[in-house]
Amino acid sequence: MEEKKLVVALAGNPNSGKTTIFNAITGARQHVGNYPGVTVEKKEGYTTYKGVRIEVVDLPGTYSLTAYSIEEVIARNFIIDNSPDVVVDIIDASNLERNLYLATQIIELGVPLVLAFNMSDLAKSRGFKIDTEKLSGLLGVPIVETVGHKGEGIDKLLDTIIAVGQEASTSVVARQHRPNYGSEIEPHIRELTEQIERLCTKDRARWFAIKLLENDNETIKRLGKPDGGCPEHLQEILAHANRIREHIEGITGDAAEIVFAERRYGFISGACTEAVTRTAESRHEMSDRIDKVLTNRYLGLPIFAILMYLMFQMTFTLGSPLVDQLDTLKDILAGAISDLWPAHMQESTLKSLVIDGIIEGVGTVLSFVPLIMLLFLAIAFLEDSGYMARAAFVIDRLMHKIGLHGKSFIPMLIGFGCTVPAVMATRTIESRRDRLTTILVLPLMSCSARVPIYTLIIGAFFPTHQGFWFFLMYLIGILIAIIFAKVFRVSLFKGESAPFVMELPPYRLPTARGLLIHMWERTWMFIKKAGTIIFMIVIILWALATWPKLPARQKGIFEQQRSQVRADKRITPKQINERLAEIAAKEHEAELEYSAIGRIGKFIAPVFKPCGFDWKISTAIIPSFAAKEVFVGQMGIIYSVGEEASEESEPLREKLQKNYSPLVGFSIMLFLLVSLPCVATFAVTAREAGLCWAIFQVTYLTILAWILTTIVYQVGSRLI
Amino acid sequence: MTARPAGKDKPSLPPPMPLAMALVGQRVQFVGVSHGGVGLSHRLAEMGITPGEEIKIINRGPGPFIVEVRGTRFFLGRGMVHRILVRPL
């Protein structure tokens, strides 16, 4: 026999530690892609254990397999369509009943299942004593205890996976105990199952029957398809299912799907009563004590505000010096390349492309990586510790005032990282009105692409109290978002906000490994973007800033001036250098004005004049629609093309300081905060909400940005 | 196992009230949702909030509640606490 291969799907609730188990099994051999047709991340990895190649697919974290969310549909379809050899359900052992609900649904699907009781150490410390052997017997499913972040139990889990995977799946499934729905319902399930087997499919007929009784739309769709389904008999089967549904409702007084959920929990409760003993009611003791303070109705909000402030202060205080160092490194690199360049090709275009375009443009964006890493680290800490969910509770009061609720807060928080995943995260908001309102204001959450802009401007114009200015920009975004959410709620999307419920995980100390992985995944996205999209745009911008070249006649004028200065015997060498620098700056300016980007900038400059922007800033604002960070890169290019790169070249920050007032600096930040969401945001909004809403979003934000910036600049310049 | 809400046939039980009226520390039993439709009830049921189940009120803000059902903590928004009907135990 050749190398044996097993395909394993990892299922589990969010927060069950699924990712840590996935990492523990596959190590670095991972591949991240998307599920076909949707933007839900699909992680795959493999390992070879005892001569068996085990391929692991990480299914999206879900609480159940009902088709309420896209994640649930994906997880479910993967199991049905790909029939993995083994499904491993990661169970948070300290929250057993809720986690076993998914397990009962997987059992009903009739696939070989292994349960990994993760965080079993935590369960013990919380006063749970689980007799896994007994529970395993009651469910008819093997159970392995693991502690994911310590790597405990992983070998045992792999042994079990191999043992289960190499057995015939029918005999594994035959040992499993499915929930029993009681003597009133079971005979009807059997009738419907037989009908489906007879007319439609023998595969998973009981599962299809139960899903039809639960009025599950996805299942109806699936059975309506010619391949695997039976469109010609669908109406007959549905009519039968509906009769049974009505019957169940008649005898229980509840909708059939509720009865099914209730009986599943009953089955779980029954098993847990026998196999689990609680030594103390202490599961939530610690969490409760922390919650008494953090979700206190008076203290909650101030604490939240302080935590956010500390987050930015920490990010800035620790990150800024690192950014400066990277910036210096970038200049040293540029200088070194310039020195190494063959002497007879000093004026070559390629050299300009490498130094002025790539190093200056991409390098400027990349030098902000430390700041972004720190910010993501702080956010990962708040998420992993369980505080994020509490923050939603605390902020719910404010959100309610603007006609949204705490659930919209989570996409907004993700929006501080990047608007694109934030828009996707709005899928958990059931009501379309709430969802659209949230999407429309999401770009106002300052995303990581704004960080380089804020850092550059604040560093140049507001070097004292940097943390405060940073915090202020975020706050302005949030305030505008609040105002406009309210406006939309009373105009476009009238009506009550939908009720919502969310699980609160207990507080836990995040593991260093988990934090680092979360931080790195997001930071890597930023770096990748700099290396691809931004790289391309920067090259285009560099080309636009380089051509057409100044005509020889005009160049000659500057040459002439230079030789005049050099020949001047009356002035000191120091003064000569100063004069030469002045001429170089003038020449640089003339070159830029003559170039394509200069002409474009001049052409649109009148539009931005009321905002206080000159044509140079205008040339950087337009391409920032592609990606906001490009603004910083473009300013770098504008102030360096044609200039002699050297280690002593002054930082971009100082050039800005020389050329603009702090008021212009603030106006730039304000405009880029509010205006034009980036292309990626536009695309994801168009997909999630529709093209019209995406266009509306771009339009209202840009007009708003222009008006606000104009007011600030005009009023400001009269006051100062 | 599945304690049915017996309100209809046992008039001696107190009538259901919105969860919003319950106090912290009070023990109440889930009865159902008002004007939410089956979708909402089903979602709650899948989370383990099924008819007859006990809801412990852990904390209440000015609108939302933190409750415990089957050992799991839930955060219920303001709209939700007005729709969930409970009966004191």
Side-chain angles (χ1 to χ4, degrees), chain B residues 23-36:
Chain B
L23 303 170
V24 174
Q26 198 178 355
R27 294 178 62 205
V28 296
Q29 187 185 38
F30 179 68
V31 176
V33 291
S34 63
H35 60 275

Side-chain angles (χ1 to χ4, degrees), chain A residues 64 66 68 95 97-98 101 105 214 252-255 257-258 261-267 269 281 283-284 288 291 295 297 389 392-393 396-397 400 406-407 430 496 499-504, chain B residues 1-5 8 31 35 38-51 53 56 58-66 68 70-80 83:
Chain A
S64 98
T66 315
Y68 269 125
N95 192 4
E97 291 193 28
R98 169 101 160 108
Y101 188 77
Q105 292 194 312
E214 288 182 301
T252 62
D254 274 314
E257 53 264 47
I258 293 165
E262 194 185 332
R263 300 279 156 98
R264 280 187 202 117
Y265 272 107
F267 171 74
S269 294
E281 281 277 329
R283 161 159 153 76
H284 293 294
D288 276 350
D291 268 341
T295 63
R297 61 193 299 168
F393 175 80
D396 187 75
R397 177 167 37 156
H400 201 83
K407 214 168 194 172
E430 291 85 10
E496 235 181 290
F500 102 92
V501 49
M502 185 174 82
E503 186 175 330
L504 285 183
Chain B
M1 169 190 76
T2 52
R4 306 258 0 105
K8 289 162 218 155
V31 176
H35 60 275
V38 179
L40 184 56
S41 315
H42 187 206
R43 227 154 30 83
L44 290 175
E46 292 233 289
M47 298 177 137
I49 307 177
T50 51
E53 204 50 45
K56 282 191 206 135
I58 306 297
N59 191 358
R60 46 177 299 178
F65 276 49
I66 294 177
E68 182 180 329
R70 293 182 198 268
T72 305
R73 290 297 156 95
F74 292 102
F75 163 26
L76 302 172
R78 182 192 294 244
M80 195 61 120
R83 282 190 198 183

Side-chain angles (χ1 to χ4, degrees), chain B residues 11-22:
Chain B
S12 58
L13 281 174
M17 63 176 189
L19 179 63
M21 290 168 66

